[in-house]
Amino acid sequence: MWKSNDLRESFLEFFESRKHLRMPSFSLIPVNDPTLLLIGAGMAPLKPFFKGEEEPPSRRITTCQKCVRADDIERVGRTSRHHTFFEMLGNFSFGDYYKEEAITWSWEYMIEKLKLNPARMWVTIHTDDEEAFKIWKNMVGVPPDRIIRLEDNFWGPIGLTGPCGPCSELCYDRGEEWSCGRDDCKPGCDCDRYVEVWNLVFTGLNKNESGEYLPLPDKCIDTGLGFERLVMLMQDKKSPFETELFTPIINLLEEMCGKKPGGNFDISVKIVADHIRAIAFMLADGIGPSNEGRGYVLRRILRRAARLGKVLGTQTGYLSALVDPVVETMGGIYPELRERKDYIKTIVRQEENNFEKTLEQGSLFLAEKLDLLLKKGETILSGEEVFRLYDTCGFPWELTREMAAERGISIDLEGFNRLLEEQKERARADQESKLILKSCVSLNLKFASTEFVGHERMSVEAEVLEILMDGNMISEAQEGDIIDIFLDRTPFYGESGGQVGDTGIMEGLNGNPLRVEITDTIKTLDGLYIHRGKVISGKIMPGNKVMARVNEARRKEIMRHHSATHLLQAALREILGKHVSQAGSLVSHDYFRFDFSHYQALSADEITRIERMVNSMIQENQPIIITEMNYDDALKKGALAFFGDKYSQTVRVVEMGAYSRELCGGTHAASTGEIGCFKIISENAIAAGIRRIEAVAGMSAIEYFLKSVQILKNLSQDLKVNFEEIPSSIERLKAHLKESEKEMDALRKEISILRAYDILSSAREVGEAKFILAEVPGATQQIMREMGDRLKEKIKSGVIILASEVDGKASLLAMVTPDLIEKGLNAGKIISQISPLVDGKGGGRADMAQAGGKNPARLKDALKKAEEIIGGSFSQ
Ligand code: SER
């Protein structure tokens, strides 16, 4: 059987013997490539050689490249194809050999060297690639029915621009038993039957910044052979996780947490084994965990693994222990792992400790929530709270459930799952709309870009180039149709860089009654502008000349808000420190949000200082100057770049006096004075270490002040005091309310004692024990507990079941004295059996349990059932 190290070596030797220069893996950090966050393919570090910008050390190169991809992190562990860290074997030609050699050598390596069964091999090619078809069929001898044509077989570019071309893949059929069972299951299917092992890219094109695909100076070859998959095939394992690349990690992990077969255990173990490799390799290459850019990718992977560790039941420190098997397995090939092992372990340990603190904070938050629930006498923690803990503190729901159960409280898992689904749905919708946009490119549009004139003007005469309806090209649209319009040029800003898309109208020229209301504008990844709108009158078809007019008032408000985000970032860095950097934003016409890295909540004083500073920058009325320059020059001048964005070589630098200098493609006010006014509305955490400010500028800020003052006026009238006295007046009212609540609590107690005596007289006796089953209308859960406690004191031995209706909701309580628990009665079990009758859920301990329900009409039935259960157990 092939050992993984031998396999790697055999590939590199095979191509060395075909005159390739073997180069060591490049670092995971891209060099001079702002369009890439991390190296995610074997060809990525070689981009300048493909483009002819740099002379390669040899026209033929072979490598085994370290890669990290975090886009599909959710699928890791669930398929045999996804990894955050993986190795890619590749052979590359820069204007030397082309398709014929790439194809025949790949076959020779797989069949002659590795002795894979040719009858199990399939190949895919790009639909139109006749040349590849002929080579596979005539030179290699692959039967034509095993050469599949796929529209999708076009690779790249990686990042927004760069080399790309049609590709051809070698797939290995693992047999019927791996199939998803669909009739059309064949290479290209998403299941695990046909493993795509090797991708041969015939790199002949370069996609430039304007989205054009232009021929490269020389035709090139870029191949990528997925190493983990190859090892899986050659070792005949179900997935890469069963190969020696992962087993030492998995064995140690299982040793640490004890194997718990079933459920999600196996998947979680695989995820952790995958993640720890990515973590070790990223740290070895000098990427440190942080809240931005590639450091954030690392931190996310690390926290995910640490969190799973909690679910698996490991101790803190477990992740750093898992670094050892990674270094043992891979350190021979990648010496940087060995050299930096101690450093890697220290950082992982530190991050784990920090995460532990986040967990602690989450625990405190949860404890407060649980206290509150118990005080109110409720028994279920809402899905919203479980989700908030999960989303902002990275708190696994399993942990929340466990901690809540310790205090007799269950969690609304359904509600949590619904919110989680909604969040996923939002991400999916986002992904889908991106795919739709991408598909515009494959529509064979006859044009490659839209000229954007919206920095200088709000309206322009333009030609309609193409119209889409539901993603399909159409030749004409009528009144009422909702369509996507492409123009040759446009003043409409397309949603990008956080700034929302413009709205407005398009009107026919020369008496043409055409009128389209534009409700949104989207910019595709390729720089095309899509205007979405509804035809209000007339007809529209390609070739029409229109006047495209942006809703100017709205756009000006957007510009005010956008400029305000820059001033806000400047003020945050001034007041909180230079560690503040943008982590995302949304700029609209009536508000904006700005996400940034910072470790704690802002104090009221900090918020006021920031507001004062931004408003004084506005009053200084500095000109806002926009210049285009080279990306490197911009960075040298100290312009702030937002790492989530992809920048091309020429960038726009937006300067506001001496306060702010940022790279930005958005639209801005002409001077800071135009922003008018600024006010922060809220400040929250959205993730550990990431805060979000929501704020308003321009007219919206003025409106905000006016509305606030109106509220104060109304309050001062209601309270009959002047503005300044409102707070003290409210303090007095609160104190009064507290007094009254105290009195009410005392009264409630009195009442429950009196009622308890009443109920006691109705108790049924069986020997020493007393059974009390009673309806106590109007009693809250807290009162019911009080009554239960009183009754329990009185009866010494027995069972108490109380049922009540408050505000249209049902409540149930069960208590069992210790002697009867010994005889097999259990309050928790009784409640879980009777609560479904009132459409409720609940449980608790053996001595006390409570439940709420939606159907009070059936409280009597619930009591009856309780009687049966008790009677039943007692007669046993
Ligand atoms: N660039 C191609 C890929 O990553 C082949 O190396 O699949």
Side-chain angles (χ1 to χ4, degrees), residues 377 379 781-782 784-785 812-814 831 841-844 848-852:
T379 50
Q781 296 214 334
Q782 196 188 346
M784 282 166 75
R785 256 206 316 273
L812 291 166
L813 168 129
I831 284 291
K841 250 197 247 155
M848 203 286 282
Q850 279 186 289

Side-chain angles (χ1 to χ4, degrees), residues 2 7 10-11 14-15 89 102-118 120-123 136 140 169-172 195-200 224-226 229-231 233-234:
W2 280 91
L7 258 177
S10 89
F11 179 93
F14 181 87
F15 283 100
L89 296 163
I103 289 177
T104 48
W105 285 342
S106 70
W107 189 261
E108 201 182 321
Y109 179 68
M110 297 298 256
I111 307 301
E112 280 164 36
K113 183 86 196 165
L114 299 188
K115 309 254 177 297
L116 280 166
N117 179 357
R120 285 196 172 251
M121 298 301 292
W122 289 66
V123 295
W136 280 120
V140 180
E169 278 176 321
L170 283 83
C171 304
Y172 183 83
V195 188
E196 293 156 10
V197 252
W198 201 343
N199 188 13
L200 316 177
L225 171 56
R229 293 180 202 179
L230 184 68
V231 179
L233 290 183
M234 298 312 293

Side-chain angles (χ1 to χ4, degrees), residues 223 317 382 437 525 642 680 708 729 754 758 768 793 820:
T223 87
S382 72
L437 296 186
L525 297 172
F642 167 39
I680 292 176
S708 311
S729 174
L754 291 175
D758 261 4
E768 291 286 285
E793 271 168 28
L820 295 191

Side-chain angles (χ1 to χ4, degrees), residues 40-43 69 88 92 155 199-201 222-225:
M43 63 77 67
R69 283 188 199 171
M88 196 180 261
F92 308 95
W155 194 87
N199 188 13
L200 316 177
V201 186
D222 148 30
T223 87
L225 171 56

